[in-house]
Amino acid sequence: MPGNRFNGFTDYGIGIGLRAPHYDHILSRKPVVDWFEIISENFMIDGGRPLHILDQILEQYKVVQHGVSMYFGSAEKPDREHLRRLKQLVKRTNTPWLSDHLCWGSVDGRYTHDLLPMPYTFEAARLTAQKIREVRDFLEIPIAVENVSSYAEYHVSEMTEWEFLNEVVERADCGILLDVNNIYVSSRNHNFDPLTYIDSVPADRVAQIHIAGHSKFQKYILDTHDHPVIDPVWKLYDRAIQRAGHTATLLEWDDSIPSFQEVHREALKANRFLESKSLAVAV
Amino acid sequence: MKLHALQRAVARAVMQPLTRSERMQRKAPGGGRMSAYAARFIKPNDRLTSFERLEIYNRQYWFRVLASLAEDYPGLRAVLGGRRFEAMCKAYLTECPSRSFTLRNLGAQLAAWLRQNARWISDRRVLALDMVHLEWAEIEAFDGEAKPPLRSEDLRDADAANLQLAIQPYVQLLDLHYPVDDLLLDVKHGDDIPDRASNAVQERRKHSRVRAVAKLEAAEIFLAVHRLDFSVYFRRIEPEEFALLTALRSGKTVERAIDLAFRKSSVPAADRAAFVQRSFQTWAALGWFCRPEENKRGEKVREKRA
């Protein structure tokens, strides 16, 4: 499947997250990478080295912005200063789409700096969709919302997580950043079938896919982005691209970050699935 | 329950300080048992109670914000010691939780808060405040705005009597009572030592830091925290340079700023012209000058007069 209106009709391949320990390698060796994903907040600043590095990356590579603190699900208006800085960065990177999480994390102007799970209610879906629309109208680019890993569920929820995701994206008419690792983590923490989740997502809205590793504890799984992708997550990825087609895919590795080559090698494993999908289509 | 009320209730629990053993408190915000409080909002599952599920977020919150402050303020940590630093951070974050979308600004209120809560720094008040100012200045200098530098042609038609020069926003000017720049560099150099050696090395490093703090003698210094080629530097400057730069930054004309800089100076009158020339040459070479802000009518912003 080629690009869609939620990723600016692009046809991006396999990317990796741009992280500081890899700056020197990338700038000096100029490895072939389809695209980099940046954490927007790391570059929503006035000047200095981070923007200098970013500008050099932009000369060589395609970059997509991914945010961690827009908090579409927080029951308060978007922060104007946040939006102003985000728009400045969007102009700098020319990101074809922008993603952030389907979660909340601030209340009454206080920030937890965490991705807190939503109560899956119709009220929350309506307010979240409204905020996504406001942000999209201000930034004037397509928005994709990412499903988060979660460790708690609320009594007030009126639907499943995937029904909530669908409710929000339909109301907001926005894209989905489908994180298959997050689906796996949450499925283990909340005892649901991850394939049911993936099969319920509107495939034509999937703008991008995230893959990552996680950490297993005795009673729950934590989304730590500090390990290779495990086989069950690759299987979910396989299923996701069977449904959504050849989709921009990104490996997240944020802690205990190994060498650039190791991270890139892990990301390129996605090719096994993308290529078999292409062959299947050709046949 | 409405979304806002639910989020407010959950956030109160998530942002409530942990116990000494880094677990969620048994007492809920506003009183009562936390287990009952958590059970009102959070479903248990077959492995975790509502309390335990909420606790995951409570612990994640504190681990994240404490790690962020520890990363930004290694110098203050060396001055206060690890335990007191952590206790101080918990008190600070409880009273001044983040109000910014970015963790970069987490310490923005720390200096002001410490002045009002001096018990945390009582025996090293001045030293600790100096260090906080320096570490915040470092953050500002690292990613502060760099405006287009002043060019010689910008001065071609300048009216010498009313000439104003602006200082780059990223240049931070500090008047300090201790040579905390040396201490901070010592602390950071210590942090560069790889951890792989042994616990003994870490102990030695800790003791040498304690000695460095204890040995530090008061001495007024003036510092410009600036950046060059995207790296942050601490540059000691003379009191007259500090006064001159501060006056220029506040919008004074060059003539007036020079006047103010030498008001209490011990630099002999005969040497002042050379001093000023040398200073301006250095600052220009470092790229510290930029064009003054212009208002909507295209006029330079004039110094406000009483």
Side-chain angles (χ1 to χ4, degrees):
Chain A
M1 186 186 289
N4 57 37
R5 65 190 173 102
F6 303 111
N7 58 24
F9 298 100
T10 54
D11 191 12
Y12 284 17
I14 298 169
I16 59 174
L18 182 68
R19 302 292 180 262
H22 297 155
Y23 287 169
D24 284 347
H25 180 91
I26 296 165
L27 295 176
S28 61
R29 304 283 182 86
K30 299 182 174 42
V32 177
V33 181
D34 290 348
W35 58 286
F36 284 109
E37 185 185 77
I38 60 165
I39 302 296
S40 299
E41 285 78 359
N42 291 346
F43 301 93
M44 286 159 59
I45 49 178
D46 294 323
R49 182 184 291 276
L51 289 178
H52 176 64
I53 299 277
L54 177 61
D55 287 342
Q56 292 178 76
I57 297 286
L58 286 166
E59 284 174 14
Q60 308 269 345
Y61 298 99
K62 294 182 279 193
V63 164
V64 175
Q65 283 181 227
H66 178 54
V68 293
S69 60
M70 181 54 74
Y71 298 141
F72 289 126
S74 281
E76 54 194 10
K77 289 271 175 201
D79 178 78
R80 302 307 295 178
E81 173 66 3
H82 187 164
L83 283 178
R84 186 186 67 77
R85 285 182 176 271
L86 192 54
K87 188 156 189 171
Q88 264 180 358
L89 187 63
V90 164
K91 285 181 181 163
R92 193 176 201 121
T93 64
N94 280 317
T95 183
W97 74 95
L98 179 140
S99 62
D100 207 312
H101 300 83
L102 183 54
C103 70
W104 67 281
S106 61
V107 65
D108 301 326
R110 298 176 175 200
Y111 286 73
T112 65
H113 300 284
D114 202 351
L115 308 174
L116 299 170
M118 295 298 298
Y120 307 132
T121 64
F122 288 100
E123 182 212 9
R126 181 175 52 76
L127 290 172
T128 304
Q130 188 181 320
K131 198 160 167 181
I132 294 168
R133 282 179 178 274
E134 280 175 34
V135 172
R136 183 185 53 212
D137 291 348
F138 183 82
L139 298 178
E140 299 175 299
I141 53 164
I143 302 277
V145 290
E146 178 183 354
N147 56 295
V148 297
S149 295
S150 63
Y151 319 107
E153 302 162 290
Y154 301 99
H155 291 299
V156 292
S157 287
E158 298 163 330
M159 58 191 109
T160 63
E161 184 187 336
W162 52 93
E163 287 167 343
F164 181 76
L165 173 65
N166 291 352
E167 186 75 20
V168 169
V169 297
E170 291 296 334
R171 282 173 180 266
D173 191 22
C174 70
I176 296 171
L177 195 180
L178 192 67
D179 190 316
V180 291
N181 177 59
N182 286 348
I183 292 176
Y184 178 80
V185 169
S186 294
S187 75
R188 298 295 299 268
N189 289 337
H190 308 312
N191 300 322
F192 65 77
D193 177 3
L195 285 173
T196 304
Y197 193 132
I198 288 183
D199 288 345
S200 305
V201 166
D204 57 341
R205 288 189 182 274
V206 178
Q208 181 189 336
I209 297 177
H210 267 173
I211 47 177
H214 55 253
S215 297
K216 205 170 171 182
F217 294 88
Q218 197 180 356
K219 293 183 176 178
Y220 60 96
I221 298 182
L222 209 53
D223 181 30
T224 47
H225 297 178
D226 59 352
H227 284 86
V229 182
I230 63 167
D231 282 343
V233 173
W234 282 122
K235 282 181 185 155
L236 296 180
Y237 175 70
D238 191 20
R239 179 65 187 155
I241 57 167
Q242 275 175 34
R243 296 195 65 241
H246 198 294
T247 305
T249 299
L250 183 117
L251 171 72
E252 294 182 294
W253 204 316
D254 297 321
D255 214 346
S256 309
I257 301 176
S259 70
F260 175 87
Q261 292 96 326
E262 193 174 332
V263 173
H264 198 203
R265 205 163 37 239
E266 184 67 16
L268 292 177
K269 287 180 186 171
N271 269 327
R272 284 181 303 180
F273 305 95
L274 292 172
E275 283 162 7
S276 65
K277 167 69 182 143
S278 302
L279 283 174
V281 169
V283 170
Chain B
M1 184 178 227
K2 290 285 183 191
L3 182 65
H4 189 235
L6 175 74
Q7 292 181 343
R8 192 177 271 169
V10 172
R12 283 184 79 194
V14 166
M15 297 168 95
Q16 182 167 267
L18 299 172
T19 64
R20 278 188 189 174
S21 54
E22 299 186 332
R23 310 304 307 196
M24 188 156 76
Q25 290 189 38
R26 298 278 157 193
K27 195 175 161 192
R33 284 167 45 237
M34 183 62 100
S35 54
Y37 186 91
R40 284 217 303 275
F41 317 110
I42 309 287
K43 282 184 194 172
N45 69 4
D46 55 350
R47 286 155 286 160
L48 295 166
T49 63
S50 304
F51 180 100
E52 288 169 327
R53 294 183 113 184
L54 188 56
E55 185 182 43
I56 295 171
Y57 290 102
N58 184 209
R59 297 182 80 200
Q60 280 193 162
Y61 168 75
W62 281 102
F63 294 163
R64 180 174 292 111
V65 289
L66 289 174
S68 178
L69 280 184
E71 190 180 325
D72 288 347
Y73 294 92
L76 182 61
R77 190 174 190 278
V79 170
L80 299 183
R83 267 191 208 165
R84 192 193 283 194
F85 176 79
E86 193 171 314
M88 180 278 296
C89 288
K90 286 174 183 169
Y92 166 66
L93 291 167
T94 303
E95 284 185 39
C96 304
S98 173
R99 289 193 168 273
S100 166
F101 61 88
T102 167
L103 283 167
R104 175 217 185 262
N105 297 332
L106 201 56
Q109 309 301 321
L110 187 54
W113 182 84
L114 278 173
R115 274 194 292 274
Q116 289 177 348
N117 295 274
R119 68 182 184 282
W120 295 104
I121 50 173
S122 52
D123 52 340
R124 287 181 175 147
R125 186 175 190 278
V126 178
L127 173 59
L129 284 173
D130 270 6
M131 187 58 91
V132 175
H133 287 136
L134 176 60
E135 294 190 298
W136 180 249
E138 194 181 6
I139 292 169
E140 295 274 67
F142 177 71
D143 60 16
E145 183 184 6
K147 294 192 168 182
L150 192 71
R151 301 160 306 176
S152 51
E153 50 265 44
D154 295 325
L155 300 174
R156 196 172 295 144
D157 302 320
D159 166 15
N162 291 310
L163 178 64
Q164 289 173 294
L165 295 172
I167 308 297
Q168 289 285 7
Y170 64 77
V171 176
Q172 306 294 310
L173 302 168
L174 299 173
D175 174 2
L176 302 165
H177 311 84
Y178 280 87
V180 283
D181 51 343
D182 288 342
L183 178 59
L184 184 55
L185 291 173
D186 266 2
V187 169
K188 290 196 171 191
H189 177 68
D191 283 344
D192 288 342
I193 298 169
D195 277 329
R196 62 177 177 269
S198 71
N199 286 341
V201 171
Q202 288 176 28
E203 277 305 301
R204 280 203 297 278
R205 194 192 314 163
K206 189 175 154 190
H207 289 148
S208 77
R209 267 187 212 164
V210 171
R211 277 200 301 277
V213 173
K215 275 195 313 191
L216 205 64
E217 287 182 14
E220 186 171 32
I221 62 163
F222 296 90
L223 205 63
V225 182
H226 69 112
R227 70 174 187 249
L228 194 60
D229 293 334
F230 305 103
S231 292
V232 175
Y233 291 90
F234 303 151
R235 184 182 179 86
R236 296 259 182 113
I237 54 177
E238 298 297 328
E240 291 83 0
E241 291 180 286
F242 176 83
L244 185 43
L245 287 163
T246 305
L248 290 173
R249 171 160 278 172
S250 71
K252 303 276 190 297
T253 62
V254 173
E255 192 179 302
R256 176 83 178 127
I258 293 171
D259 233 23
L260 289 169
F262 290 103
R263 192 177 270 178
K264 295 175 187 170
S265 173
S266 59
V267 175
D271 297 340
R272 290 179 182 179
F275 181 99
V276 169
Q277 190 179 23
R278 200 169 53 244
S279 300
F280 273 71
Q281 277 173 351
T282 304
W283 302 336
L286 291 168
W288 289 4
F289 293 124
C290 54
R291 275 163 275 174
E293 292 279 343
E294 293 192 353
N295 65 20
K296 284 181 185 165
R297 288 177 298 173
E299 296 168 341
K300 287 172 186 170
V301 177
R302 301 268 179 227
E303 176 189 346
K304 281 189 183 169
R305 292 181 193 281

